[in-house]
Amino acid sequence: MRALVVRGRDATPAVEEVRQPDPGPGELRVRIRAAGICHSDLSMVNGTLAPAYPLVLGHEATGVVAGTGPGARLAVGTPVVLNWAPACRSCWHCRHGEPWLCAANSAPATARGETVDGTPLHVTLGLGALAEEVVVPERAAVPIPAGLPPEQAALLGCAVLTGTGAVRNTARVAPGESVAVLGLGGVGLAALGAARRAGAAPVLAVDVAEAKRDLALAAGATDFLLADDRLSKEVRARTGGRGVDHAFECVGRAATIRAAWRLTRRGGAVTVVGMGGNDDLLTLSALDIFHSARTLRSSVYGSSDPDREVPALAAALADGSLDLGPLVSGTVPLDEAPAALDRLARGEGARWVVSF
Ligand code: APR
Ligand code: ZN
């Protein structure tokens, strides 16, 4: 089958023929219908993250169960969303209500399958979903209702679960609170939509790219602000001079975490949603940390339990109370995935989705 493979750091990803094993005990083969391209895929290529290569990219997808290994219970034909942090339900974190921190899921890449020339292959976050098929543990597949638009359902597996969960679960944004979202890719746009639905006001959308303005307003922002040297003043003008109650960093860089910190009021909360690099350092003074009384915390996979929350989001998609149309900039065939990755790198559009 064909998959988007990157052979090494800074190599150009290309569509290759690869071999995946048959599903083993408790595993499924899933035929992918749609897979989103996330900034983390870029981070797997450009060295921000350090996975093993060659690597199948992709970790945000929907598909249909096409085969089952011994003991797997889902029926062939079941539509599913893939979960890149499947909970083991037995480690300390799973037993303490933090399945998103499950100890079984710390590696960015897992060995699985091989290339046609026989080189051992790795898959992103246990999935490698920018591929015609994946073989995954059954717990990495969450059943969803049939008939959802695949290019929207795919986003439930990463951007939407992450952005929505950051707002609802991690920060617990309340009606009337003020919110700023920095970085308006799929993750940030999902976060600001969730903030608006939670009754937050104002919901300030911040990006370096003016082209994100219309996308942000369509996704639920009350205001779009350019990330320039007037940003702090513009935010304070809209928040009684104080700064926002909640800032969400959806870029994955120390500089934007610092910007989010500065935009937040005394006693407010900064939630880091972006996944940055290990050598990108943030400096805060001891006095600033004390005096500002702010909270700084991260949100991994939206502090969510995908087994519970993906079906709830899928039901909202089905009944029309959730519309992810504004998040999808376009669908492309797998052969055009490298070009779509370039577009993402240039900050063009919201989410590009590969459709199979
Ligand atoms: N200030 C504000 N916005 C910025 C800045 C900045 N200094 N620098 C970049 N941006 C914007 C880009 O213009 C782009 O709109 O951040 C956005 C990032 O969007 P995407 O590249 O589409 O990223 P996304 O897939 O949404 O992921 C965001 O979450 O899951 C993590 O690894 C992922 O760290 C990444 C983050
Ligand atoms: Zn992602």
Side-chain angles (χ1 to χ4, degrees), residues 265-306:
R265 68 163 169 84
R266 279 188 86 189
V270 176
T271 304
V272 176
V273 191
M275 179 160 57
N278 197 37
D279 48 9
D280 188 13
L281 303 184
L282 172 68
T283 307
L284 297 171
S285 82
L287 179 61
D288 187 13
I289 291 169
F290 174 81
H291 181 259
S292 73
R294 294 176 183 124
T295 304
L296 174 65
R297 67 190 148 192
S298 89
S299 178
V300 173
Y301 217 1
S303 312
S304 69
D305 185 341

Side-chain angles (χ1 to χ4, degrees), residues 166-167 171 173 178-182 204 206 235 243-250 256-265 268-273 294-297:
V167 167
V173 169
S178 54
V179 164
V181 176
L182 291 86
L204 309 176
V206 180
V235 168
V244 290
D245 298 315
H246 292 279
F248 294 88
E249 196 275 353
C250 301
T256 32
I257 298 173
R258 168 173 286 284
W261 178 261
R262 289 217 186 97
L263 298 181
T264 304
R265 68 163 169 84
V270 176
T271 304
V272 176
V273 191
R294 294 176 183 124
T295 304
L296 174 65
R297 67 190 148 192

